[in-house]
Each structure stands twice: as C-alpha cells, then as structure tokens.
Amino acid sequence: MASLLQRSFPRTPSPLSTGERIRRGHTGANYKTNNPWNSIYQFSRPHTVIGTVFSIISVSLLAVEKMSDLNPLFFTTLLQAVIAALLMNTYVVGLNQLTDIDIDKVNKPYLPLASGEYSVGTGAMIVTSSLIMSFWLGWVVGSWPLFVALFVHFVLGTAYSINFPLLRWKRSPVAAAMCILIVRALSNPTAYFLNMQIHVYERPVVFPRSLILATAVMTFFSIVIALFKDIPDIDGDKLFGIQSFTVRMGQKRVFWICISLLEMAYVVAILVGSISPGLWNKVITVLGHAVLATTLWARAKSLDLKSKAAITSFYMFIWKLFYAEYLLIPFVR
C-alpha cells in the first residue's frame, strides 16, 4: 500500500525557481532541525491532536449520569477511542502533507516533508501504518459507533486530499468546508457519545441537550476553521490554483465572516446555558461563553491582517477557543 500511495502523489512542478524560493525565505531546507521529536511533533499537526483528544473526552463525559459511571470500563474504552482516533488523525494530516509538499514549501516550509526531513517514502509508511492500526483497534474494540467515526474520518480525509479523479475536495472551498464540518461537528461528537452510551453503558440511543448544543456550536467552529485555515495560506493557494474563499473574497472579508460566526455561536451557547436547570451549570456556561466571546472580539480588533505571523497566531488562538468549548460543553445539562 505504501508504494501505491507514493505513486498517487505526483510532485507538482513549482512555479517558483530555487533562487526565488530562497529570496522569499520559502526553501524547506532552511527549516531542517535534525530533531526527530520536532519532526514527529510537526508531522502530527499538534493542534489537531489536542482538538481530537479534548473533543472525545468531552462528548464521552456527556454519557455519564452518575459518579459510578466513571468505572474502569469507561476509562479503558475512552483510552481505546482516543488512540484509534489519533492514529486516524495522523493518517489524515499525513496524507494531506504528502499531497501538498510543494504547496507547503511556500505556506508551511517547517513541516518535515516540505523541509526534506522526511522522504515521501517515510511519510507514506507513517500514513499507511497509522491507517491500518486505527482500523485494527476500532475492529478489536467491537464498538460500531467508534468504527463508524473512524470510517467517516478516513473517507472524508482521503477525499479531501488525495489527487484522484473526482477527489481532492480541498480544491473546492464548499467541499473542503463540508469535510471538516461533517467530521468535527457531526460524526465525531455523535459517534463518540454513542460509543459510551451504547457500547459501555448499554443504554438506549438518546440525544441530550448538551450533545445538540455541542453539535450546533461545533458546526460554527468547523466552518470557521475551514475558512480561517486558508487566510495565512493565500500566497501558496494562489500559486497552485487552490480557489479557497480567501483567494476569491480576500483576507479581510473572510476574517470578519469567521469572527461573526464565532460570536453567533457564543450567543447560542449563552442562551442555551441560561436555561440550564442547575445554578452552577448556568453560571459556568453563561459566564464562560461571555468571557470567550469578549476575548475573541478584543483580540480580533487588534489583529494586523498584513502580518502572516499574526494571522497564523490568531488561527492557533481559534483552536484554543475550540478546546475551551469542549471544556464547557459537559456543564450543559
């Protein structure tokens, strides 16, 4: 399978000469660290790793109805789900890097494939082994919600990146956004909740208010992440013909669309939190989302959209808001 993957990733000729890349500071060799741990860290795309872990823990806790539910079976199943999901996440982000080597030399030259720290063969080996181990673990656990979550992530992650006919959906901003939305906002929250609800506790299928809120708010976040991730990558996307919304509409307009969507999500969360029956649940969800909304607006107003470093930093800030949301979701009851 590794050889098949390597044949599937034709190296797109770059429109930039080597001299031009060096002049612009985009040559990948400038970012070699010869640090294997840093290479693994960058290849895994750590912000997606943290987001995956937080989301699975958060929605799994939604199935907990009493303290006795926090038993060894819960923690064992949670660990299995997290490991399987992280392996699938490694497959997806690794596949994306394998198909975007030349684009990443412009947009993200610090990534190990773009910098030359990893060969295509090494990347293909990591991606292939991660995929096999993820499906193997999902099958061994025997939970159909877990296996469905892994399968959906695999299908959409592959369709998003791989350069086959009718695929490579990242070239379409709508299709790219739908891939992220379905995985992050619909499939993962529902499947990992049902993994606990059905597989561990053997309870009937229900969709509590907290899960519905998580799905709604994460829909906003998924759309924002899909839109915002292209703002700092506008140069490389233009060069390689990726017609993202940022390329079509401009950075400033897409940026403020993203901020507006997140503020709308916080308003929804505050309204739902205000009708929570428990006083502490109400205080934590309302106050927590109000603080996040205020912090987001203040930081957005001060952002320099002409600085790629500032935009990239703000993108990481959005992921931190994403993590914070999953900390608040379990308090909605």
Side-chain angles (χ1 to χ4, degrees):
M1 185 172 180
S3 60
L4 175 62
L5 283 170
Q6 292 182 53
R7 292 197 299 270
S8 304
F9 306 136
R11 296 290 299 275
T12 306
S14 171
L16 294 178
S17 67
T18 302
E20 180 69 358
R21 288 189 186 193
I22 293 174
R23 185 181 69 79
R24 296 189 183 190
H26 292 319
T27 178
N30 291 344
Y31 291 84
K32 281 188 176 181
T33 62
N34 297 317
N35 183 337
W37 294 111
N38 182 70
S39 298
I40 294 171
Y41 178 80
Q42 296 294 350
F43 188 81
S44 69
R45 309 298 283 139
H47 58 284
T48 65
V49 170
I50 298 171
T52 298
V53 172
F54 272 51
S55 63
I56 294 175
I57 293 175
S58 179
V59 297
S60 296
L61 287 172
L62 297 181
V64 174
E65 296 179 356
K66 51 187 182 297
M67 290 302 297
S68 60
D69 286 343
L70 295 173
N71 52 40
L73 180 58
F74 170 87
F75 290 106
T76 301
T77 305
L78 177 62
L79 180 61
Q80 292 169 334
V82 167
I83 293 173
L86 289 180
L87 288 168
M88 186 58 70
N89 186 77
T90 300
Y91 163 76
V92 170
V93 298
L95 180 67
N96 188 50
Q97 291 172 69
L98 279 167
T99 58
D100 280 359
I101 293 174
D102 287 300
I103 299 177
D104 286 339
K105 286 180 179 179
V106 178
N107 289 338
K108 304 179 183 75
Y110 52 85
L111 293 178
L113 284 166
S115 69
E117 290 198 62
Y118 282 176
S119 67
V120 173
T122 298
M125 180 187 67
I126 295 173
V127 163
T128 304
S129 58
S130 295
L131 176 65
I132 293 172
M133 288 189 294
S134 177
F135 274 136
W136 173 80
L137 183 56
W139 182 263
V140 168
V141 170
S143 167
W144 70 259
L146 172 61
F147 197 86
V148 167
L150 298 174
F151 184 74
V152 171
H153 201 177
F154 159 71
V155 170
L156 295 180
T158 302
Y160 179 87
S161 295
I162 201 163
N163 195 18
F164 281 174
L166 303 180
L167 298 180
R168 196 159 173 79
W169 292 353
K170 68 181 299 177
R171 288 179 293 199
S172 165
V174 175
M178 288 303 299
C179 287
I180 296 174
L181 187 153
I182 291 172
V183 171
R184 292 287 180 185
L186 301 178
S187 172
N188 281 5
T190 303
Y192 288 110
F193 167 78
L194 292 178
N195 181 46
M196 291 297 174
Q197 181 75 2
I198 297 174
H199 179 67
V200 174
Y201 299 130
E202 299 181 347
R203 294 169 182 159
V205 175
V206 294
F207 298 97
R209 181 168 57 184
S210 52
L211 180 62
I212 295 172
L213 176 64
T215 301
V217 173
M218 289 309 153
T219 296
F220 283 99
F221 265 96
S222 298
I223 294 172
V224 168
I225 288 172
L227 293 175
F228 204 101
K229 70 180 182 59
D230 296 323
I231 295 179
D233 293 346
I234 188 170
D235 292 337
D237 288 349
K238 282 182 177 179
L239 285 171
F240 288 87
I242 304 294
Q243 293 299 307
S244 65
F245 280 116
T246 302
V247 171
R248 295 180 179 185
M249 301 167 62
Q251 289 176 305
K252 184 175 181 180
R253 188 174 180 185
V254 173
F255 173 78
W256 284 108
I257 288 173
C258 290
I259 300 304
S260 299
L261 288 172
L262 286 181
E263 294 292 353
M264 289 170 59
Y266 287 136
V267 169
V268 171
I270 289 171
L271 291 175
V272 173
S274 66
I275 59 175
S276 294
L279 176 60
W280 281 111
N281 298 78
K282 185 179 300 186
V283 170
I284 292 172
T285 53
V286 171
L287 184 60
H289 286 106
V291 169
L292 294 178
T294 304
T295 304
L296 170 65
W297 185 257
R299 183 154 178 174
K301 293 290 286 184
S302 63
L303 181 69
D304 179 10
L305 284 171
K306 296 180 181 179
S307 168
K308 181 175 180 177
I311 296 172
T312 302
S313 176
F314 197 95
Y315 177 58
M316 292 297 104
F317 171 67
I318 289 177
W319 275 93
K320 292 174 184 176
L321 294 177
F322 181 81
Y323 311 150
E325 189 58 37
Y326 274 117
L327 293 177
L328 291 174
I329 287 296
F331 291 98
V332 179
R333 295 289 174 174

